[in-house]
Amino acid sequence: MEHSSLILTLPVWIESFITRQTFPLTTDESRMHFVIGLALENIKRKSGGPFGAAIFESASGKLIAAGVNRVVSLGCSIAHAEMMAIGLAQQKLGTYDLGSPDLPAVELVTSTEPCAMCLGAIPWSGIRRVVCGAADTDARAAGFDEGTKPSDWKKSLQQKGIEVVTGIVAKEAAEVFTAFKEAGGEIYNGRLSDNS
């Protein structure tokens, strides 16, 4: 039997982008500006979709891992910014459980509220806090199919002990979709929106 592997990579520009930032980022707003910057750079470099995310240590603001949407560039529908950031954080920390008691509490900061897939991954990853910028409705208005989510998705996470904060730098986060459209970005699952 042939051995197969799945390799998901970040674009080459991301390391230099990170080194140009000043860390730690100690507020929700500064962390959101960072992930919005990732999304905008991803558009500018034509290396993926209009979404950025990062995993931070909640208390210190230390960056654990950053991610950008790579669906089209990698030909992989699971390569969402949140999934990339979660997976890279797990690899870096050497555990599938980011909520392990021997680790500092970590949070996911994402430029847009999570889609159905990313929503499902959040509790399994051990993340204790989620901070969102643009609304689900902003992504849908841009043509993206965000999947079927419960209307009370925030409450469902909160019931699992995960704090949810939405609307951080929301206007600027939503403007990322305008930049993506103006750059001729591909709405990679737009045909599905008619069926959702």
Side-chain angles (χ1 to χ4, degrees), residues 152-174:
D152 61 350
W153 66 270
K154 293 178 231 176
K155 183 178 178 183
S156 70
L157 290 180
Q158 291 164 344
Q159 288 173 334
K160 294 179 183 292
I162 302 167
E163 180 185 355
V164 179
V165 180
T166 58
I168 301 298
V169 196
K171 184 176 183 290
E172 187 176 330

Side-chain angles (χ1 to χ4, degrees), residues 100-164:
S100 175
D102 59 334
L103 292 175
V106 298
E107 63 187 56
L108 169 67
V109 179
T110 177
S111 62
T112 305
E113 292 175 352
C115 70
M117 175 179 62
C118 296
L119 176 63
I122 289 168
W124 291 337
S125 70
I127 290 166
R128 307 310 321 151
R129 186 169 190 261
V130 180
V131 180
C132 309
D136 174 276
T137 52
D138 296 318
R140 290 179 194 272
F144 287 95
D145 182 347
E146 296 297 276
T148 304
K149 298 189 322 189
S151 58
D152 61 350
W153 66 270
K154 293 178 231 176
K155 183 178 178 183
S156 70
L157 290 180
Q158 291 164 344
Q159 288 173 334
K160 294 179 183 292
I162 302 167
E163 180 185 355
V164 179

